[in-house]
Amino acid sequence: MSGKRSRAAWAAALLTATVSAAGTLTGTTAQALDGDTAATGASSFTAKIDVGDGVRACSGTLINNQWMLTAASCFVDNPAQATSLPAGAPKLKSTATIGRTDLTTGTGEARDITQLIPRTDRDLVLAKLSAPVYGLSFLHPATSAPVAGEALKGAGYGRTKDTWIPTALHSAAFTTGAVEATAVSIDGTPVCKGDTGAPVFREKDGRPELAAIATNSWQGGCLGSDETRTGAVASRVDDIRAWITENTASTLSSWNTQMLTKTSTGLYHGMRNSNGDWTGFADVQKVAGTVKDVAYAADAAIKGKNYIFAVGGDGHVYEANRRATGGWDAFRDLTGELGAKGAFTKIAVTSTGSGLALIGIAGGKVYHATQDADEKWSKWGDVTNLLGALDDVTQVTTGQTTGGDTQIGVVSGTKAYHAIRHSDGTWSKWGHINQAATNIGPVNGMAFAGIGGDLQVVLTNSTGGIKHGIRAADGSWSTFAGLNGKLGSDTMVSVDAAAVSGEFQTAVVTPDGRIKHTLRHANGKWDATEQVIGYPGTPESVALTGSAG
């Protein structure tokens, strides 16, 4: 499409795609679909939508566990009047099948669509699923508009050049044409009936992001059409991110995931909202002051206030915090408050409900300190002196469980150890996790998060890979299950975990400098892994916490 005519003129002339067909959007000129079937499991964020038990078929895009974006024209009697769609339940029973590359199989999930929230300025609607789906990837809305000539990709369940109702998802590639206020023109593989609502996306930093939603198209190259013209219109989503977030964020919880990463260029902080979208990463030292040669960092939160800890090149521990209102209090050196114990190399911190528990490694020893509700610190206590020395302690983690127990874990050599500081200040002895639990192997990293009375644990292996297990409130350990299929089989550079709204979240830094994140829901089901982007430099460590507000 040339872009010389207005979007309204094009939309009036284009045939609205409403039945089933898709193509492979590759190349800069239109071509007939050759039936490029998507690889099994690819583009699992794409949905096939059935409206009225066969009255109409469309495609859609999963943007979080319970919401999709698709075209409003799928749900109105006259597709040319898409912006007249009322909010509420669909007029006709509508269902979405998601993550089923081959529709003849039972993979993926199927859900009814129970609620529609349309835009009034473009052919676009948010569609809520009757229940969340798990284990399927979803697309985050883009942060920037498409540009003319940009290569985009797509996926849909629409008609092809030789199949009326395909039983498989087809991938596609487009070239961007004119970019307007609410829409963008695309050309490449034909967009056929059934592709309405399909995702149009780009690859950014190795991760797909949603640029637009396919709406109207010529039918050149589609089975049953004599049309020779190709090209399509898609509704932009990059400019309505706030609207999407406002309408899809969880109403059950206002908790967000806070992420802190030390990279090759500095210390950065970002958030994952309750609808699954990540904010951009901000430079902590620009707002909280500089810590020279930051070596390691950790964070925890209490009542919406996020506490940041950094180990400087001088081996001192520094604290800053991000207030619930968004402002920052500057870094300060805690040596005077905690006491001098030599050069610290690693730290870990957890909320105790009213204060903080801080764990650190210095000179091969493990130390513990607490901050009370008035933000006053105790002096470092020597955990090694209380519980016994462990050789070559390289990693430390901590988490809080119900009853006021502070759970502490360390890696010594290639073994994992665990101890508890009870609410009355007494300690258990070191327990050897490799002996208490099964299927662990040699360990090089560990992260804790308490959910109720249970301690959720992830262990990274020195030979590669990552495993998850649970220490139940009664002290028994589960078998550790592998997460290699989600997070990879590499020897991870860093790992951390957090409990957020009763869900277990974990993130790793991979050897090639990427941050990967996944979460385990309260029902035991895991989300698909996503690559976190938006931070400058190459990540060297990652820290997670949960914060309300």
Side-chain angles (χ1 to χ4, degrees), residues 353-412:
S354 59
L356 298 171
L358 181 66
I359 314 297
I361 303 172
K365 291 185 175 183
V366 180
Y367 295 93
H368 167 267
T370 59
Q371 186 188 73
D372 63 21
D374 295 325
E375 299 190 337
K376 302 298 183 183
W377 284 100
S378 70
K379 295 293 185 181
W380 283 121
D382 189 337
V383 177
T384 300
N385 186 51
L386 285 170
L387 306 185
L390 295 170
D391 295 331
D392 189 25
V393 177
T394 56
Q395 303 288 336
V396 63
T397 184
T398 185
Q400 189 80 4
T401 52
T402 52
D405 287 343
T406 300
Q407 312 275 344
I408 296 173
V410 299
V411 176
S412 172

Side-chain angles (χ1 to χ4, degrees), residues 83-332:
T83 56
S84 67
L85 177 67
K91 179 180 177 181
L92 302 175
K93 177 179 172 62
S94 301
T95 59
T97 302
I98 312 157
R100 190 170 297 173
T101 308
D102 182 349
L103 294 172
T104 64
T105 69
T107 60
E109 301 280 354
R111 298 286 189 272
D112 288 341
I113 295 173
T114 58
Q115 182 183 357
L116 301 174
I117 303 177
R119 288 286 299 189
T120 58
D121 63 344
R122 68 197 73 186
D123 186 356
L124 192 75
V125 64
L126 284 163
K128 187 176 185 180
L129 304 177
S130 57
V133 295
Y134 302 105
L136 301 178
S137 60
F138 45 81
L139 281 184
H140 297 283
T143 57
S144 60
V147 296
E150 179 181 2
L152 298 173
K153 298 181 179 180
Y157 288 95
R159 189 177 300 176
T160 67
K161 74 168 186 176
D162 52 15
T163 306
W164 195 264
I165 304 178
T167 59
L169 178 69
H170 287 74
S171 60
F174 301 113
T175 298
T176 305
V179 180
E180 300 182 13
T182 62
V184 58
S185 64
I186 53 176
D187 203 356
T189 305
V191 177
C192 300
K193 293 185 175 182
D195 289 324
T196 295
V200 178
F201 56 95
R202 62 162 69 96
E203 296 284 339
K204 182 178 180 181
D205 297 329
R207 186 186 80 171
E209 65 176 18
L210 182 65
I213 294 292
T215 56
N216 308 87
S217 70
W218 300 112
Q219 297 291 286
C222 304
L223 182 64
S225 173
D226 295 328
E227 178 62 65
T228 59
R229 291 169 292 184
T230 61
V233 169
S235 293
R236 286 174 53 188
V237 302
D238 59 278
D239 61 320
I240 55 170
R241 287 170 55 90
W243 176 80
I244 293 170
T245 298
E246 177 184 352
N247 285 287
T248 63
S250 172
T251 58
L252 300 177
S253 172
S254 61
W255 280 68
N256 297 322
T257 304
Q258 311 272 338
M259 178 177 284
L260 183 69
T261 179
K262 161 68 174 67
T263 80
S264 57
T265 63
L267 188 61
Y268 301 95
H269 169 265
M271 290 188 296
R272 184 181 190 269
N273 297 325
S274 59
N275 72 337
D277 277 337
W278 290 90
T279 66
F281 280 75
D283 187 336
V284 174
Q285 294 182 93
K286 279 189 176 181
V287 292
T290 299
V291 175
K292 188 176 180 180
D293 299 326
V294 173
Y296 199 78
D299 64 348
I302 306 172
K303 299 178 181 178
K305 192 172 183 178
N306 193 32
Y307 294 80
I308 305 293
F309 296 86
V311 175
D314 55 6
H316 292 196
V317 178
Y318 296 80
E319 177 191 10
N321 61 71
R322 181 181 185 273
R323 298 186 295 273
T325 55
W328 286 81
D329 292 333
F331 275 113
R332 71 180 196 276

